[in-house]
Amino acid sequence: MSLPRCALLWARLPAGRQACHGAAVCSALRAHTGPFPRALGRIPAIACSSSSASGGSKAPNTSLFVPLTVKPQGPSADGDVGAELTRPLDKSEYEVKKILDKFYKRKEIQKLSSDYGLDARLFHQAFISFRNYIMQSHSLDVDIHIILNDICFSAAHVDDLFPFFLRHAKQIFPVLECKDDLRKISDLRIPPNWYPEARAIHRKIIFHSGPTNSGKTYHAIQKYLSAKSGVYCGPLKLLAHEIFEKSNAAGVPCDLVTGEERVTVDPDGKQAAHVACTVEMCSVTTPYEVAVIDEIQMIKDPARGWAWTRALLGLCAEEIHLCGESAAIDLVTELMYTTGEDVEVRTYKRLTPISVLDHALESLDNLRPGDCIVCFSKNDIYSVSRQIEIRGLESAVIYGSLPPGTKLAQAKKFNDPDDPCKILVATDAIGMGLNLSIRRIIFYSLMKPSINEKGEKEIEPITTSQALQIAGRAGRFSSKFKEGEVTTMNREDLSLLKEILNRPVDPIKAAGLHPTAEQIEMFAYHLPDTTLSNLIDIFVDFSQVDGQYFVCNMDDFKFSAELIQHIPLSLRVRYVFCTAPINKKQPFVCSSLLQFARQYSRNEPLTFSWLRRYIKWPLLPPKNIKDLMDLEAVHDVLDLYLWLSYRFLDMFPDASLVRDLQKELDGIIQDGVHNITKLIKISETHKLLNLQNLSAESQSRLSGAAKSQSRRNRGPRAVGSKAAEPLGPDAEEKSLASRLVQQGLLTADMLKQLEREWMTQQTEQGKGRLETGTSLKGTRRKKKEPDSD
């Protein structure tokens, strides 16, 4: 029987007989359209096929599954075939809606949905979408139309809707269709197998263990310099630069590779046999005789640990020398056991003695040449520097966001015996990467902001590892001070410092891992309509790791992914942009990443002239702290350009010109930091900072806990690229405007603009009142427009 003939006969049947002949019509339709995705009998038969759906792995976090939109069907060019074969459906609450509600409430359906991965939340979302699709579609697919019609006439069971519901659920939640494939892609167990080149050779692993200033790195570098070829992997650009310069000074040609810079010593551009690089940039396919991985304990770092894991497992070197804390020995030994490689441990002791003093500094009047005050916030840096300057002393300043050139210049100034600068004020940025001639380390506070494994900010006492790393900078072997001293600013903190330093360092339990671009691309193949940020969430949730590993925190990656989500980019390009290192607390840097991605998507090269206009070059020397921080943000933007220029050479073509520009900017920042106390003084005068000069008596009355809480309250609250301001003790007595300025929520320029707008508004309102007279009706003010504020 032909399909048109079948449809014609069906249409002529009375309504009561249509239901009786449903099976015959369905048989005729199957011959033309194929089998319907109907239930195999009833619920028990369907359940038999659901075993593969549930899987044997952990249940995924379904809150990460973002539903896609399935639009209702409009009018079909072929007409409503289902209605022609049966009859139009009554979509009122008395027929189709009643059937759907009955389907939703059946416990058997909910149980079966759960077997297919639809928990209560997904089941509800899928049903709402399914019901809207059916109720709002102009014409339904012929198979579901006939099923609904059969249910209306009791010729089918409401459970027969389940295959259609499941098909719809997999459309809005495509992850349900490919859970097993996604689990295989995100299986991060046995990471050593990711590096076949390294597994093809038997490597000798030597662990140089010891505290700061024990000579462990020196011995590893000597092996590196004497080898025919070698790679040094360091945690900082400064350290890579140092080894690069030492190697070439020793007559061993060495190249430099960092995220933002490539330097080849050969004038023809030929690669040298030795290379000094940041750990993220090391090659895991190039063969070397010797490799050095510095600060191996950072394999536990929540954000960057993956880079040390990759270097440890993947470097193709005959000998790998690891330098770091003894806390990493057990983990490294376990990891190397899985690769079949033994670990030789060489232990070193500190070369110069260091002692914890029995008295705190208590007052800046007690400072001596060679002292370094360690602070954990910029506001404390500014406050201490200003107070030192008031006492007629000169200090050098080093903190994390300063450009490397400025840090080196400040370190050189402090180390120079002929320079009047004898005091250093710094953050924990001095913990590695700088050679400093320090006699005594003074902890201004023991409370340090940190980011936990969940990406949450916490303020806790520094760890034993951090305290040892910082304290170890005193009395360096190569400095003029042959013995180091450590103490605190406040008497109440001294006992806590001794307790922290005497604790054993907790052994490192796990190494970091990170999904590769290839893994994310395979995820995107299965989930093409899912955002990159959501892909990362699902990947981390589906990932399986051995007990010796963890998946690194990817909040910064997700932040960048959400920032540029609306810009049309290929997945691989989007992934690269999201791995660019940026400080998400600096709005100008974030907006620059957005602008760079937008220019890239338009296929418009970011030329040197365009970049100069964008950053408004030339820039003036800083007049206050806010200006200095703005310049630091611009320096970070130039770093971002250089980082991208080595990934997209054609779209960021002027790297050499930008590098020259950055050096010029570095000089401007150096001058600003050299005069930082003047900038602080000007900022105080203009009420951009409110740094209180605490006397020794008031400081001694503060308990350690109270002072830590005080610093917590005046911690950084960056708005824009503006300075984060502390709250003074008399904040409650000050005006609202001054408090907002102190907290960084307003700047002086914004305050002046608000004042001008307020005066203009008051003037206009005054004119309005004069024009309307004194009558009640006339004096009634017109309601403000929403934008008037």
Side-chain angles (χ1 to χ4, degrees):
M1 183 186 298
S2 67
L3 182 60
R5 175 64 175 163
C6 175
L8 179 62
L9 293 177
W10 180 265
R12 290 178 179 174
L13 287 173
R17 297 183 62 191
Q18 287 174 355
C20 299
H21 290 77
V25 174
C26 290
S27 298
L29 283 174
R30 287 191 187 97
H32 294 271
T33 62
F36 301 151
R38 297 189 57 165
L40 303 175
R42 286 290 177 264
I43 294 294
I46 303 176
C48 292
S49 64
S50 66
S51 59
S52 63
S54 59
S57 305
K58 65 174 183 177
N61 179 7
T62 58
S63 65
L64 302 175
F65 300 171
V66 179
L68 303 179
T69 301
V70 178
K71 295 181 179 179
Q73 292 189 21
S76 173
D78 298 330
D80 193 346
V81 177
E84 292 179 11
L85 291 174
T86 57
R87 64 184 180 88
L89 293 172
D90 178 9
K91 294 185 180 180
S92 69
E93 59 180 291
Y94 297 107
E95 191 172 88
V96 175
K97 187 173 183 298
K98 186 176 180 181
I99 292 172
L100 294 174
D101 289 344
K102 183 179 179 181
F103 173 83
Y104 176 74
K105 293 176 182 177
R106 281 184 58 77
K107 297 295 184 183
E108 294 85 352
I109 292 296
Q110 295 175 16
K111 174 64 171 63
L112 187 59
S113 298
S114 176
D115 291 341
Y116 276 88
L118 289 163
D119 61 11
R121 175 182 168 275
L122 296 188
F123 176 74
H124 178 75
Q125 288 183 296
F127 174 76
I128 295 298
S129 176
F130 181 61
R131 184 180 64 187
N132 291 340
Y133 174 80
I134 289 177
M135 300 298 290
Q136 297 173 15
S137 290
H138 188 276
S139 61
L140 294 169
D141 291 337
V142 61
D143 49 4
I144 192 170
H145 187 110
I146 291 176
I147 287 294
L148 285 168
N149 183 76
D150 285 355
I151 296 173
C152 290
F153 290 97
S154 301
H157 195 275
V158 67
D159 292 344
D160 290 341
L161 278 176
F162 183 78
F164 304 97
F165 167 74
L166 184 61
R167 180 176 66 186
H168 185 88
K170 289 181 177 180
Q171 285 181 289
I172 67 169
F173 296 115
V175 68
L176 298 174
E177 189 75 78
C178 52
K179 284 194 297 183
D180 291 339
D181 290 335
L182 297 181
R183 283 198 177 94
K184 291 177 183 177
I185 296 169
S186 58
D187 189 344
L188 303 181
R189 294 173 294 184
I190 320 180
N193 291 352
W194 303 349
Y195 308 101
E197 292 91 347
R199 300 291 77 78
I201 61 176
H202 186 76
R203 307 177 305 169
K204 183 179 180 181
I205 312 296
I206 302 169
F207 195 121
H208 300 267
S209 168
T212 304
N213 195 26
S214 61
K216 57 185 184 297
T217 307
Y218 170 81
H219 287 89
I221 294 300
Q222 292 307 305
K223 293 292 293 184
Y224 164 83
L225 294 175
S226 62
K228 295 179 181 178
S229 62
V231 57
Y232 168 83
C233 307
L236 300 172
K237 288 184 284 187
L238 281 174
L239 287 170
H241 270 275
E242 181 183 346
I243 301 303
F244 165 72
E245 292 171 356
K246 280 185 177 179
S247 184
N248 286 296
V252 179
C254 176
D255 292 342
L256 175 68
V257 178
T258 69
E260 300 81 14
E261 191 173 9
R262 308 285 191 282
V263 179
T264 54
V265 291
D266 188 282
D268 297 330
K270 182 181 177 182
Q271 291 185 355
H274 288 70
V275 60
C277 63
T278 46
V279 66
E280 287 87 352
M281 300 304 299
C282 69
S283 169
V284 293
T285 56
T286 305
Y288 300 102
E289 183 180 344
V290 169
V292 176
I293 306 176
D294 207 357
E295 306 294 350
I296 186 62
Q297 72 275 2
M298 290 190 69
I299 200 169
K300 69 174 181 179
D301 188 85
R304 297 179 64 200
W306 63 270
W308 277 264
T309 305
R310 173 177 172 270
L312 176 62
L313 298 177
L315 279 174
C316 298
E318 298 172 23
E319 280 189 18
I320 297 185
H321 293 259
L322 311 176
C323 304
E325 298 175 1
S326 59
I329 293 176
D330 290 344
L331 176 64
V332 168
T333 303
E334 290 177 17
L335 296 182
M336 294 300 96
Y337 178 79
T338 64
T339 65
E341 295 162 332
D342 296 326
V343 178
E344 176 188 341
V345 179
R346 298 178 184 175
T347 305
Y348 302 82
K349 294 183 179 180
R350 185 177 168 87
L351 298 174
T352 56
I354 187 169
S355 59
V356 182
L357 300 180
D358 292 327
H359 57 274
L361 188 69
E362 298 193 75
S363 171
L364 295 178
D365 294 329
N366 299 324
L367 286 172
R368 305 196 308 257
D371 279 350
C372 172
I373 303 177
V374 177
C375 308
F376 294 114
S377 78
K378 276 189 181 179
N379 292 306
D380 287 343
I381 290 274
Y382 300 149
S383 177
V384 171
S385 300
R386 179 80 173 99
Q387 293 177 54
I388 290 173
E389 192 261 348
I390 289 173
R391 287 164 170 78
L393 301 174
E394 191 173 339
S395 63
V397 173
I398 296 175
Y399 51 86
S401 60
L402 285 177
T406 305
K407 290 178 185 174
L408 290 172
Q410 289 291 296
K412 183 178 179 182
K413 176 184 177 183
F414 173 71
N415 290 336
D416 187 353
D418 299 324
D419 196 289
C421 171
K422 302 300 180 185
I423 308 296
L424 176 63
V425 184
T427 63
D428 54 343
I430 64 165
M432 59 179 70
L434 293 168
N435 291 317
L436 298 163
S437 185
I438 298 172
R439 179 204 302 269
R440 180 171 58 173
I441 290 286
I442 302 159
F443 285 94
Y444 191 69
S445 166
L446 296 177
M447 305 300 289
K448 182 182 187 316
S450 61
I451 305 296
N452 63 19
E453 61 275 6
K454 297 179 181 178
E456 301 166 340
K457 186 174 181 179
E458 297 178 339
I459 299 181
E460 295 180 334
I462 57 176
T463 65
T464 300
S465 177
Q466 292 168 339
L468 290 171
Q469 186 81 22
I470 297 169
R473 310 308 288 181
R476 298 277 292 180
F477 180 73
S478 57
S479 73
K480 63 181 180 181
F481 303 114
K482 300 308 177 185
E483 184 173 346
E485 298 174 343
V486 184
T487 188
T488 60
M489 182 70 187
N490 301 293
R491 188 186 311 165
E492 295 79 6
D493 288 338
L494 190 56
S495 59
L496 177 59
L497 175 63
K498 291 180 179 180
E499 180 187 337
I500 291 173
L501 291 174
N502 288 328
R503 290 177 195 157
V505 179
D506 294 332
I508 298 172
K509 300 293 181 63
L513 295 175
H514 190 286
T516 64
E518 292 76 14
Q519 288 170 321
I520 299 301
E521 280 181 335
M522 287 190 285
F523 245 60
Y525 173 80
H526 290 283
L527 306 173
D529 298 316
T530 306
T531 66
L532 181 54
S533 176
N534 192 218
L535 277 177
I536 293 296
D537 280 333
I538 297 173
F539 184 97
V540 173
D541 183 61
F542 273 66
S543 63
Q544 301 174 72
V545 296
D546 292 329
Q548 299 163 330
Y549 299 95
F550 68 93
V551 180
C552 285
N553 185 299
M554 300 190 67
D555 285 351
D556 288 347
F557 184 99
K558 287 164 52 184
F559 174 85
S560 297
E562 291 166 0
L563 186 67
I564 64 173
Q565 179 56 42
H566 63 285
I567 299 176
L569 298 167
S570 69
L571 181 67
R572 180 57 71 105
V573 170
R574 189 181 302 278
Y575 182 92
V576 172
F577 267 93
C578 292
T579 54
I582 65 169
N583 183 353
K584 62 183 181 183
K585 294 180 181 179
Q586 292 184 336
F588 182 59
V589 179
C590 297
S591 64
S592 298
L593 178 70
L594 185 64
Q595 185 63 35
F596 289 178
R598 188 177 289 119
Q599 288 282 110
Y600 185 100
S601 70
R602 296 171 182 161
N603 202 28
E604 298 175 1
L606 289 88
T607 61
F608 179 65
S609 58
W610 178 92
L611 186 63
R612 283 172 59 98
R613 290 193 302 271
Y614 177 72
I615 64 173
K616 299 179 181 178
W617 189 267
L619 299 172
L620 298 175
K623 298 178 180 178
N624 49 50
I625 291 297
K626 170 189 170 298
D627 290 348
L628 179 61
M629 299 187 79
D630 288 345
L631 291 177
E632 292 170 9
V634 173
H635 192 280
D636 286 350
V637 169
L638 298 184
D639 258 348
L640 175 62
Y641 182 99
L642 293 171
W643 192 92
L644 291 168
S645 71
Y646 289 106
R647 279 82 182 167
F648 308 111
L649 296 175
D650 53 339
M651 297 301 292
F652 297 83
D654 297 326
S656 59
L657 294 173
V658 172
R659 191 170 305 286
D660 293 338
L661 188 70
Q662 192 181 45
K663 290 178 181 177
E664 190 175 344
L665 175 59
D666 200 342
I668 297 174
I669 294 174
Q670 285 182 37
D671 292 339
V673 174
H674 182 73
N675 299 311
I676 193 167
T677 53
K678 295 179 182 177
L679 302 185
I680 295 170
K681 189 173 182 179
I682 293 171
S683 299
E684 283 183 296
T685 303
H686 291 79
K687 297 184 179 180
L688 292 175
L689 281 176
N690 184 30
L691 304 174
Q692 302 297 320
N693 297 324
L694 300 177
S695 64
E697 291 76 19
S698 65
Q699 289 186 34
S700 64
R701 285 196 300 267
L702 286 172
S703 67
K707 190 166 182 65
S708 299
Q709 180 63 35
S710 170
R711 289 198 190 88
R712 187 181 310 175
N713 291 340
R714 64 176 195 254
R717 296 186 185 182
V719 175
S721 54
K722 316 296 185 278
E725 313 303 342
L727 288 176
D730 57 343
E732 293 182 359
E733 301 174 5
K734 294 183 177 294
S735 66
L736 173 63
S738 64
R739 293 205 306 272
L740 291 174
V741 170
Q742 291 164 18
Q743 296 173 33
L745 302 176
L746 278 179
T747 66
D749 293 338
M750 293 165 64
L751 198 58
K752 290 178 182 177
Q753 183 179 350
L754 286 172
E755 185 179 359
R756 287 194 298 269
E757 292 177 359
W758 172 257
M759 294 300 294
T760 302
Q761 188 180 38
Q762 293 301 306
T763 302
E764 291 176 353
Q765 290 176 357
K767 289 179 180 179
R769 284 195 292 271
L770 289 173
E771 292 173 358
T772 54
T774 58
S775 67
L776 180 62
K777 183 177 180 180
T779 56
R780 232 175 242 159
R781 272 200 231 165
K782 187 178 178 182
K783 187 178 180 181
K784 288 184 183 178
E785 294 296 327
D787 294 336
S788 64
D789 292 334

